[in-house]
Amino acid sequence: MTDTVEDAFDWRRAVNAGGLLRVFNDAGVLEVADVHVATRLTIQGGEGSELVALAVALAVRALRSGSVCVDILSVAQDLDDVDQPEVPWPDPKAWLADLRNSPLLTKHAVLHLEQDRLLYLDRYWREEQQVCSDLLAPRPAPPVVDEAALTAGLSRVFHRPNSEEHREAARIALSQWITVLTGGPGTGKTTTVAGLLALAAEQAELAGGPPPRIALAAPTGKAAARLQEAVRAEIAGLGDSDRARLQGLQALTLHRLLGSKPDSSTRFRHHRGNRLPHDLVVVDETSMVSLTMMARLLEALRPDTRLILVGDPDQLASVEAGAVLADLVDGLGARTDRRVAQLSTSHRFGETIGLLANAIREGDADRVLEILTGGGDHVEFVNRADPAEALREVLMPHVLAVRDAAAMSGSAALAALDAHRLLCAHREGAFGVRRWNRQIERWLAEETGESLWGEWYLGRPVLVTANDYGLGLYNGDTGVAVLADGALRAAIAGARGVVDFATSRLAEVETAHAMTIHKSQGSQADEVTVLLPPEDSRLLTRELFYTAVTRAKSKVRVVGTEPQLRAALARRVVRATGLRQRLAD
């Protein structure tokens, strides 16, 4: 819910705002930054309509919540459902009439109105257009495939039972330049990727050409490390000739693949004038890729580069603007000239976790409760409003195990860390990461009898929160403070494997006994404990719940109440975007 701004000197109040901007700011719908951007643009553009000013402010606000644009026809209803503001929403007809005639659209092109309802700021309008154009641009005919060799190869690399979906997905990917490969956890996306890479290399060899230059990439360092580990494990299970064709593959973050520039966070060394050299690019965890990053990736690819975008569209979307993967699945899936490869059969989970994930995805609250309360070794429901004591019993054995392992080696400590994760929706508050990290440290001091006065201590789990290209560390990498030669060092699991650093060299890290569900994307743990936030939390959504549950390999524990669980399943993430429609047209 929004908080009404009543104090004239409140920091959330835009002092010089007037008209509708003042009303919506006072109601807590608009933040100060929204008001200032709208005021500045309308003054510079010679726009006097307060309806246009409000629309601009809402477009800025939309970007913070992950939308690429604002839907003028539904924004009142959308925000009513989320924030319950009591504000005088303009009549949509009058609102659109002012927007159509605004010099910000007709003269300066600061704004763009699409479908007579979607209002964009210029940058995101251009990026959405570019992504659509690059995805649908005419390309050379795909390389000729040796059908006999492909048929034999599909049977060779996908030899396990129930591999029909994997064979069909690989065949689709090898028949076109751009493929979206989707599926929930455990459906074999990485198995499919490893197999199709082997088949692509074999086809290049049969054609008499050089081995394909392959790039593996993911949005975060942790996701890249997991991708590399998973692909290498799948390649190890292939035959000798296929393994030989795929030696030395290394996964990178998208930032590293594109070539980060120290003076820009949105532009890279590889672009339309300096293309990537690769013949085949695989991007994992595409649900985490923002519209801006997708635009930068697509413009850096040669027209004859094969692109495989892998991910689960039911997971949380990028923390930045866009819902690119979901848009690609729906938009490209509606076309007759493009094919989306979809995997639906889960092979990883115990039956109970798989059933739970499906029930969450479908929003079936009664079924979710039935599964969680039905017992079994793979799911548990801790139905308590105050879960502190129950959490202490669950968490402390894992925390102490990490501490014990940290006295032996970095690899042992990181393995112990991956045995369990406590996931929260919020960073702050009673249900937030910060509170539970402090609580666990207090319990740890009680258990060990040692006072944890310093920031660093043996067994401290850490999360890298910003890219450090000099150290080769990336946002999302995880590590543990370990004992080496009598001193504390930080062992970090990144895209290059396990590396260790003096703790004094790590500035952008935070304690990670608990982490947010957003930060957990791209990673997994053997066991996951999910702490649900209050029912009125705007972060409590079906997508958040699904993402948290599907981080678990063998067991998931949900801590909360039935009303919290039902609230999560009833609330969906709604992001305004026009990419889906652009692709489908």
Side-chain angles (χ1 to χ4, degrees):
M1 297 175 66
T2 55
D3 296 321
T4 301
V5 182
E6 297 178 352
D7 184 352
F9 298 100
D10 193 296
W11 61 270
R12 295 168 296 173
R13 187 183 181 106
V15 177
N16 296 321
L20 288 174
L21 292 180
R22 158 63 59 214
V23 173
F24 277 71
N25 177 226
D26 285 348
V29 177
L30 297 177
E31 294 189 1
V32 171
D34 307 330
V35 174
H36 287 332
V37 172
T39 301
R40 188 67 174 169
L41 285 178
T42 51
I43 290 174
Q44 290 188 327
E47 173 58 73
S49 168
E50 64 175 346
L51 295 182
V52 174
L54 176 62
V56 173
L58 289 170
V60 177
R61 181 195 189 280
L63 295 173
R64 291 202 318 276
S65 61
S67 291
V68 176
C69 54
V70 60
D71 189 334
I72 297 299
L73 296 185
S74 68
V75 62
Q77 179 182 352
D78 294 341
L79 294 186
D80 250 358
D81 291 342
V82 175
D83 300 294
Q84 301 175 2
E86 297 180 1
V87 289
W89 288 101
D91 174 68
K93 291 183 179 180
W95 208 355
L96 286 170
D98 274 22
L99 283 169
R100 294 188 201 102
N101 296 321
S102 172
L104 294 178
L105 277 81
T106 61
K107 181 179 179 181
H108 302 294
V110 173
L111 304 177
H112 300 272
L113 189 63
E114 293 283 335
Q115 303 173 34
D116 207 28
R117 64 185 299 166
L118 302 180
L119 184 70
Y120 293 78
L121 296 177
D122 182 64
R123 169 187 160 183
Y124 295 92
W125 178 79
R126 291 180 183 276
E127 287 180 344
E128 191 174 276
Q129 278 200 322
Q130 183 216 310
V131 167
C132 182
S133 298
D134 284 343
L135 286 170
L136 302 182
R139 295 173 181 267
V144 176
V145 173
D146 185 324
E147 287 292 344
L150 177 59
T151 299
L154 288 168
S155 298
R156 182 181 73 250
V157 300
F158 301 116
H159 55 81
R160 299 167 185 165
N162 303 317
S163 293
E164 292 81 5
E165 286 184 344
H166 305 148
R167 296 189 192 106
E168 177 60 18
R171 185 182 288 277
I172 290 172
L174 292 171
S175 69
Q176 55 190 20
W177 289 115
I178 298 176
T179 300
V180 180
L181 173 62
T182 72
T187 53
K189 297 188 293 294
T190 307
T191 299
T192 304
V193 166
L196 73 85
L197 293 180
L199 296 173
E202 181 185 40
Q203 289 289 324
E205 183 179 285
L206 292 172
R213 292 163 293 185
I214 298 171
L216 305 177
T220 67
K222 183 65 174 179
R226 179 168 165 262
L227 172 63
Q228 179 170 302
E229 178 184 358
V231 168
R232 287 183 176 178
E234 292 292 339
I235 290 173
L238 299 176
D240 292 344
S241 59
D242 291 316
R243 288 202 306 273
R245 295 185 183 106
L246 298 176
Q247 289 301 308
L249 289 181
Q250 183 177 3
L252 309 171
T253 63
L254 280 170
H255 283 80
R256 190 175 173 194
L257 173 69
L258 294 174
S260 297
K261 298 175 68 175
D263 59 340
S264 176
S265 61
T266 59
R267 293 291 174 178
F268 300 89
R269 291 198 304 271
H270 289 287
H271 46 74
R272 214 173 293 279
N274 180 30
R275 309 271 189 160
L276 288 166
H278 303 92
D279 303 300
L280 195 157
V281 175
V282 176
V283 179
D284 196 20
E285 298 290 350
T286 307
S287 64
M288 299 167 63
V289 178
S290 68
L291 177 67
T292 297
M293 182 58 78
M294 184 59 68
R296 300 293 84 82
L297 172 65
L298 292 174
E299 70 184 12
L301 297 178
R302 303 194 324 265
D304 59 349
T305 296
R306 179 171 277 122
L307 175 63
I308 314 294
L309 299 171
V310 185
D312 182 351
D314 294 307
Q315 288 188 24
L316 286 167
S318 165
V319 294
E320 299 177 50
V324 176
L325 181 61
D327 285 345
L328 296 185
V329 171
D330 291 341
L332 294 179
R335 300 181 65 88
T336 58
D337 59 343
R338 301 289 194 279
R339 298 183 66 187
V340 173
Q342 187 168 5
L343 305 174
S344 58
T345 304
S346 179
H347 305 277
R348 178 200 303 160
F349 290 136
E351 180 182 0
T352 312
I353 296 181
L355 291 173
L356 177 60
N358 287 334
I360 294 172
R361 186 170 51 228
E362 295 167 2
D364 189 339
D366 291 337
R367 180 63 174 147
V368 169
L369 282 165
E370 178 186 345
I371 294 169
L372 284 174
T373 57
D377 297 331
H378 300 291
V379 297
E380 181 181 349
F381 187 33
V382 181
N383 187 357
R384 297 187 188 180
D386 183 3
E389 286 306 313
L391 281 175
R392 181 170 185 166
E393 292 178 10
V394 169
L395 299 176
M396 291 315 297
H398 294 289
V399 172
L400 293 170
V402 173
R403 179 182 171 87
D404 291 342
M408 296 185 289
S409 71
S411 57
L414 289 166
L417 182 64
D418 284 340
H420 179 268
R421 284 279 191 275
L422 172 62
L423 302 181
C424 306
H426 293 266
R427 289 187 56 82
E428 306 291 346
F431 295 82
V433 165
R434 193 180 301 275
R435 179 261 170 119
W436 285 100
N437 276 325
R438 289 198 301 264
Q439 180 62 67
I440 290 168
E441 288 177 335
R442 285 193 288 267
W443 288 336
L444 182 59
E446 292 175 8
E447 295 275 352
T448 63
E450 299 179 14
S451 297
L452 304 180
W453 296 108
E455 180 184 22
W456 288 94
Y457 51 86
L458 182 65
R460 179 198 180 195
V462 293
L463 179 73
V464 177
T465 58
N467 296 333
D468 188 326
Y469 302 109
L471 296 181
L473 298 180
Y474 298 91
N475 187 8
D477 289 350
T478 54
V480 180
V482 301
L483 194 62
D485 298 327
L488 284 181
R489 293 182 67 83
I492 307 291
R496 298 179 299 163
V498 179
V499 291
D500 70 276
F501 301 92
T503 58
S504 59
R505 299 186 68 188
L506 303 181
E508 301 293 338
V509 296
E510 61 184 28
T511 303
H513 291 294
M515 69 168 54
T516 64
I517 297 168
H518 272 95
K519 287 288 188 180
S520 75
Q521 282 187 274
S523 66
Q524 289 183 315
D526 294 330
E527 184 177 326
V528 165
T529 298
V530 183
L531 181 61
L532 296 179
E535 300 163 53
D536 60 356
S537 167
R538 284 184 284 170
L539 297 181
L540 185 60
T541 65
R542 188 185 308 177
E543 291 80 3
L544 182 100
F545 193 17
Y546 174 85
T547 300
V549 164
T550 54
R551 299 309 89 203
K553 293 181 182 178
S554 60
K555 181 170 183 177
V556 61
R557 179 183 299 103
V558 178
V559 180
T561 63
E562 180 177 334
Q564 288 173 306
L565 188 148
R566 290 188 179 275
L569 295 171
R571 186 180 293 121
R572 302 297 306 272
V573 174
V574 178
R575 291 194 169 190
T577 165
L579 181 59
R580 185 175 315 186
Q581 189 62 46
R582 290 182 195 273
L583 291 171
D585 288 344

